[in-house]
Amino acid sequence: MQKNKSYFILIFLCFCGSLLAQNQINSPYSRFGIGDLQYNILSEYAAMGGSSIGSYNPNIVNPYNPASYSAFKANSFIFSTGGAHQTTKMQTIDLQQTTNNSSFSHLILGFPISKKIGASTGLLPFSNIGYHIEDSEIDPDLGNINYSYNGDGGLNILYVGAAYHLTENLSIGANANYLFGGLNRNKKVIFSDGETYNTRKISSISAKGFFCELGLQYYKDINERTHFTLGFTANNNAEISAKRSVLTETYELASSIYEVVKDTMENTSTGFTSNMILPKNIGIGFSLAMDNKWLFMADFSMQDWSEYRMFGESDSLANSMKFSGGLQFTPDKMSANKYWKLIKFRFGGKFQKSYLQLYNTQLNERSVTFGFGLPLRKTKSEINLAVEIGERGTTNNNLIKEQFLRFQIGLSLKDIWFVKRKYD
């Protein structure tokens, strides 16, 4: 047991170190709103289209519905972490580019407190920004004008949650989420006439604040071989504290890499005030387990992004909705001789109307998913793999289509604690 504890601590420290760097992404669409919202973080659920609201599983930590924490078995302890890699092909009508990005995915713990109460805590990414865009135009008087847009950063969630068995078939839970991070956007205007000073604008937003997420799950044994769970989640309309600093300067190039500031046109900074409104979100989902082999899950969720504000600006975001579904097949959970029969085979799909609406076009995202749950011999732990293939956006209306291949790997370590050892 001591060896396993040391293993947990080692992994924890390694991934805490990786959290000092921002998660990586490369998408021009992350320029808008609060960036690319992060879904399907756990590979167990990502392989099933991202369905999770109806999952009531004692062997998986499910932060997407806090009511599920009451499923943890006595003296159990679950540690889950992982990472992701994405290859994206971006294309317009006449241009295309391929990018590769890797990132940390999550760090979460789950454990029971009593027979009726379970708890979880962890760190999850909420949104990411990462883009580099270049454009140019020709002015009759100023000559060639080059524009450069860059952005990085993101928001994360540190949460603590608990669930309680209200009745034999009903659980309620809540997550207290602390949202924090920074969003950085820079713009440069470079003139080629040799007489006009170049301009750069650096805008940084820091956010921090709490919001609450509630979960409810009803589970019912239809018969000895069939089990049904219905889940519901919702979070409140949250006011998040944010501060913004803006620095606008003119400069000239003394060399290819050295910039000399000529004048400061703007240098402003605000204190932390309730300048960010995060809109409420609701979701419903179910799971159906049959014969100890089959598991079906489906989710539907929506969020009213028309209520979003950042320093009074809405950024023309649209209401979003997401539908996902998937299935899992395990040939024989009790197999002792054939390892492949213990593997969980997962498949799924997702359709989403994103919160981005550009040129009167709301961007849609669709994908198919598959993956595996690979148990580790002589332990209760598991390695989970997920692959998602999909696309977002369109080449119509001067927009960009993104086709992506996302690979996720997760490690779920399970053990027991607070059990006294007995010696003869």
Side-chain angles (χ1 to χ4, degrees):
M1 182 66 180
Q2 184 62 39
K3 181 179 180 181
N4 288 336
K5 287 183 178 178
S6 300
Y7 190 44
F8 284 138
I9 295 172
L10 177 61
I11 293 179
F12 181 87
L13 293 176
C14 289
F15 275 93
C16 280
S18 71
L19 291 177
L20 297 176
Q22 284 288 346
N23 296 325
Q24 297 298 310
I25 195 171
N26 196 328
S27 171
Y29 289 132
S30 67
R31 178 184 175 190
F32 304 97
I34 55 175
D36 258 7
L37 300 180
Q38 299 299 290
Y39 301 104
N40 303 347
I41 302 303
L42 272 69
S43 50
E44 296 96 318
Y45 299 128
M48 301 177 68
S51 304
S52 59
I53 296 175
S55 175
Y56 188 76
N57 190 326
N59 299 312
I60 300 176
V61 185
N62 180 11
Y64 308 113
N65 190 336
S68 65
Y69 305 151
S70 63
F72 299 142
K73 295 180 179 179
N75 301 117
S76 64
F77 176 86
I78 304 175
F79 174 93
S80 178
T81 189
H85 176 84
Q86 180 169 317
T87 298
T88 306
K89 178 182 178 182
M90 297 177 287
Q91 58 184 352
T92 61
I93 295 177
D94 52 1
L95 296 172
Q96 67 178 36
Q97 180 183 1
T98 300
T99 63
N100 291 277
N101 298 281
S102 299
S103 65
F104 160 82
S105 61
H106 66 282
L107 182 70
I108 56 179
L109 306 173
F111 48 90
I113 295 178
S114 68
K115 290 183 178 181
K116 288 191 173 184
I117 301 175
S120 175
T121 184
L123 185 61
L124 301 168
F126 186 75
S127 72
N128 285 330
I129 288 182
Y131 62 88
H132 175 74
I133 305 171
E134 293 185 351
D135 197 6
S136 64
E137 66 174 339
I138 298 178
D139 184 274
D141 299 322
L142 301 175
N144 193 48
I145 304 175
N146 296 312
Y147 300 90
S148 177
Y149 306 88
N150 294 276
D152 60 65
L155 301 176
N156 301 290
I157 286 179
L158 179 65
Y159 78 90
V160 177
Y164 177 73
H165 270 296
L166 288 174
T167 68
E168 182 181 355
N169 300 101
L170 185 66
S171 284
I172 188 171
N175 280 341
N177 299 315
Y178 178 67
L179 183 73
F180 67 97
L183 310 174
N184 307 308
R185 297 178 173 93
N186 305 326
K187 175 183 178 181
K188 285 185 178 181
V189 183
I190 303 173
F191 301 92
S192 61
D193 62 351
E195 298 180 356
T196 307
Y197 291 143
N198 304 316
T199 303
R200 64 186 178 196
K201 181 178 181 180
I202 303 172
S203 176
S204 299
I205 295 175
S206 298
K208 61 179 182 179
F210 291 91
F211 68 97
C212 182
E213 183 177 19
L214 299 177
L216 192 70
Q217 284 189 330
Y218 174 79
Y219 29 89
K220 180 70 175 177
D221 294 336
I222 298 176
N223 54 50
E224 292 183 358
R225 303 168 67 93
T226 306
H227 314 281
F228 175 79
T229 303
L230 179 67
F232 175 81
T233 60
N235 66 264
N236 61 317
N237 231 22
E239 293 186 357
I240 305 298
S241 296
K243 71 174 183 178
R244 176 169 58 184
S245 61
V246 179
L247 176 63
T248 304
E249 300 172 320
T250 59
Y251 69 96
E252 66 175 0
L253 295 174
S255 65
S256 59
I257 59 173
Y258 187 59
E259 300 174 351
V260 178
V261 175
K262 289 301 185 179
D263 190 17
T264 299
M265 303 169 63
E266 180 183 12
N267 188 1
T268 61
S269 180
T270 66
F272 276 105
T273 56
S274 299
N275 283 317
M276 176 180 172
I277 298 178
L278 189 66
K280 59 180 175 290
N281 177 76
I282 60 173
I284 188 170
F286 77 89
S287 67
L288 183 65
M290 298 186 299
D291 299 326
N292 280 325
K293 291 185 177 182
W294 296 96
L295 174 65
F296 300 88
M297 291 203 300
D299 285 358
F300 175 78
S301 62
M302 56 183 176
Q303 194 162 11
D304 187 5
W305 284 97
S306 64
E307 298 180 353
Y308 165 82
R309 293 293 184 274
M310 179 70 80
F311 294 94
E313 301 174 0
S314 65
D315 213 359
S316 300
L317 303 182
N319 294 343
S320 63
M321 57 82 69
K322 180 167 70 80
F323 174 78
S324 60
L327 64 88
Q328 174 182 285
F329 174 69
T330 309
D332 184 1
K333 291 183 178 181
M334 305 305 295
S335 177
N337 300 320
K338 295 183 179 180
Y339 177 80
W340 71 271
K341 289 188 176 183
L342 299 173
I343 297 175
K344 299 178 177 67
F345 298 89
R346 298 167 176 144
F347 308 89
K350 177 184 70 177
F351 174 79
Q352 176 181 345
K353 284 185 173 294
S354 76
Y355 74 170
L356 297 177
Q357 184 167 284
L358 307 172
Y359 300 107
N360 295 318
T361 302
Q362 188 169 2
L363 300 186
N364 295 332
E365 180 178 326
R366 55 184 63 85
S367 64
V368 294
T369 62
F370 64 91
F372 309 94
L374 307 175
L376 301 179
R377 289 285 195 181
K378 298 181 181 180
T379 72
K380 297 180 180 181
S381 302
E382 191 172 73
I383 296 175
N384 294 284
L385 306 175
V387 178
E388 183 175 6
I389 304 170
E391 66 176 25
R392 176 175 65 168
T394 175
T395 56
N396 298 329
N397 299 328
N398 296 318
L399 294 173
I400 298 173
K401 177 189 283 188
E402 295 180 340
Q403 296 173 311
F404 58 85
L405 172 64
R406 183 179 297 127
F407 175 79
Q408 293 178 237
I409 182 170
L411 177 62
S412 181
L413 300 175
K414 306 179 185 71
D415 210 329
I416 58 174
W417 61 354
F418 300 135
V419 176
K420 293 183 179 180
R421 293 187 179 275
K422 295 181 179 180
Y423 299 92
D424 293 330

